[in-house]
């Protein structure tokens, strides 16, 4: 079907949106080649430079891929989500499982690489977590995340720290809801204090295997709560 001429306004955005809609509707199936710039420009009623920019936007979204000397081919019918968006739409348990993979290794590295400044930061974060035990669930979760972030930072790997930072927004509200739903702090306001203190001591002492074991045990305990029937029913509501 004809694409139809565009209204004068942000033409590149309009062209990209029109082409995106045609791809989503199967007008050009995955694996097929888009018409040339001249043909698209004529059908859309715009210049070739506008078409070129629109196709570049589609390529950035993962919908098409230019092939040198061959043309532009459709590679997907839906845009590829960026990493933060993917995390926001994922189940908390799925994100938490990946967080475990990152953080257990980070604890192992932290015990081998920690500096005096890292030790001071972890001790301060542990003290902050203990102080937050007197606060509400949101305050406590924020303090808990800060302590884990200090351990990850002690690994001395900025990529690990960046990954952990990406997980935080996706996990924070889920953990707050979990504490509220299960009431785990009602009898123990500083829930998990002993295990967190042991983790800090292991990292400080340079006991890499023990630090990794403690991190895994702590995270597996929380994951088990997230997988609990009560929590699952809450997530499915």
């Amino acid at each position: 079907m004809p694409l139809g001429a565009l209204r004068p306004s942000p033409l590149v955005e309009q062209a990209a949106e029109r082409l995106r809609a045609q791809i989503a509707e199967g007008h050009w199936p995955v694996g097929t080649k888009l018409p040339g710039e001249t043909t698209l420009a004529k059908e859309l009623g715009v210049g070739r430079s506008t078409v070129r920019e629109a196709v570049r936007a589609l390529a950035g979204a993962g919908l098409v891929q230019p092939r040198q000397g061959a043309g532009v081919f459709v590679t997907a019918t839906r845009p590829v989500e960026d990493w933060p968006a993917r995390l926001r739409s994922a189940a908390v348990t799925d994100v938490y499982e990946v967080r475990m993979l990152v953080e257990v290794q980070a604890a192992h590295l932290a015990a081998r690489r920690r500096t005096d400044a890292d030790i001071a930061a972890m001790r301060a974060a542990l003290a902050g977590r203990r102080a937050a035990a007197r606060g509400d669930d949101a305050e406590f979760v924020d303090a808990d995340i800060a302590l884990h972030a200090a351990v990850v930072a002690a690994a001395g790997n900025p990529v690990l720290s960046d990954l952990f930072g990406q997980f935080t927004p996706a996990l924070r509200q889920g953990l707050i809801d979990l504490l509220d739903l299960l009431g785990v702090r009602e009898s123990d306001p500083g829930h998990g204090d002993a295990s967190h203190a042991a983790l800090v001591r292991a990292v400080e002492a340079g006991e890499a295997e023990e630090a990794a074991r403690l991190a895994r045990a702590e995270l597996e305990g929380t994951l088990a709560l997230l997988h609990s029937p009560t929590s699952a029913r809450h997530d499915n509501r």
Side-chain angles (χ1 to χ4, degrees):
M1 70 181 185
L3 292 172
L6 297 174
R7 305 180 307 277
S9 95
L11 293 181
V12 171
E13 289 85 349
Q14 288 186 62
E17 182 55 38
R18 190 71 58 81
L19 294 172
R20 185 182 292 113
Q22 294 287 77
I23 290 172
E25 292 168 5
H27 186 69
W28 297 301
V30 172
T32 60
K33 180 181 174 180
L34 289 184
E37 284 183 2
T38 301
T39 300
L40 291 175
K42 183 177 179 180
E43 291 195 37
L44 292 168
V46 297
R48 291 177 60 186
S49 61
T50 298
V51 170
R52 194 174 303 121
E53 290 299 320
V55 169
R56 185 173 294 133
L58 296 182
L63 294 173
V64 301
Q65 181 179 42
R67 298 178 188 170
Q68 186 68 33
V72 179
F73 291 80
V74 177
T75 55
T77 57
R78 297 175 58 189
V80 177
E81 287 184 309
D82 60 20
W83 180 238
R86 182 69 185 91
L87 287 175
R88 287 194 297 271
S89 64
V92 172
T93 49
D94 291 341
V95 178
Y96 209 89
E97 286 177 353
V98 179
R99 174 193 174 182
M100 284 178 58
L101 297 176
V102 170
E103 201 167 339
V104 170
Q105 178 64 13
H108 190 277
L109 291 174
R112 294 166 49 196
R113 299 175 178 175
R114 77 278 182 268
T115 65
D116 289 345
D118 291 326
I119 292 171
M122 287 187 294
R123 288 177 176 175
L126 179 61
R129 188 181 188 277
R130 287 171 170 167
R134 299 189 293 270
D136 60 19
D137 288 341
E139 183 180 351
F140 184 74
V141 166
D142 287 340
D144 180 77
I145 290 172
L147 173 55
H148 285 270
V151 173
V152 173
N157 185 324
V159 176
L160 284 176
S161 291
D162 288 345
L163 280 174
F164 184 84
Q166 293 284 349
F167 294 147
T168 298
L171 289 172
R172 180 180 182 272
Q173 190 57 52
L175 294 174
I176 293 171
D177 291 343
L178 179 71
L179 291 177
D180 177 60
L181 180 67
L182 301 182
V184 296
R185 295 183 60 225
E186 292 177 2
S187 59
D188 181 16
H191 178 71
D193 179 72
S195 60
H196 284 78
L199 173 60
V200 170
R201 287 195 300 270
V203 173
E204 183 175 349
E207 298 171 351
E209 296 300 328
E210 179 66 2
R213 185 192 70 79
L214 288 165
R216 183 180 296 107
E218 168 62 30
L219 294 167
E220 284 179 345
T222 302
L223 184 60
L225 291 176
L226 288 168
H227 276 302
S228 67
T230 301
S231 179
R233 286 197 299 272
H234 177 266
D235 289 339
N236 292 330
R237 281 202 304 233

